[in-house]
Amino acid sequence: ASAPARSLGDDFGLVVPGAEGWRTPAVPFDGSERIAPDAPTGLYPVAAIWRLYHANEVRVEHPSVLVAPASLISCVAFPWTYPERAGELLDHVRRFLDESSFGHLSFAVDSNLYSELLERHDPDS
């Protein structure tokens, strides 16, 4: 779905806070068993995090300030590994929501996802 842009990974990503905003490194698991010799390196700015839903049509929704933290934290991988850090994790989720864009993106497999997203995305709504 990322074509023609280069993929930074396949089904998960790491998002870290920094002085220049939220960033993500490429993860070496882009659907293959080996890391490609020309795999991207470094940190990349995060424009938004989208929780994905399969649907019959493209729809962009920005959850309320009460729903957004629960929705985003439900997408976090392995939170049960460090239950003593749950408060810290929630603090990071809230900080991301204050500083960046998060939404629910429903899309059909055959849709022109990126043009639809750009047309419908309004981080201030």
Side-chain angles (χ1 to χ4, degrees), residues 53-117:
Y53 296 90
H54 183 261
N56 293 327
E57 61 183 310
V58 174
R59 187 172 61 256
V60 172
E61 299 171 309
H62 294 280
S64 72
V65 296
L66 297 175
V67 173
S71 181
L72 182 54
I73 207 163
S74 72
C75 300
V76 173
F78 313 119
W80 58 87
T81 305
Y82 300 102
E84 69 278 6
R85 298 184 74 182
E88 181 183 353
L89 178 60
L90 186 55
D91 290 342
H92 283 296
V93 164
R94 287 186 179 131
R95 180 177 164 200
F96 181 88
L97 292 169
D98 286 344
E99 298 173 359
S100 298
S101 183
F102 170 73
H104 294 170
L105 175 60
S106 299
F107 66 97
V109 174
D110 62 350
S111 66
N112 187 348
L113 180 60
Y114 287 102
S115 65
E116 293 276 353
L117 180 58

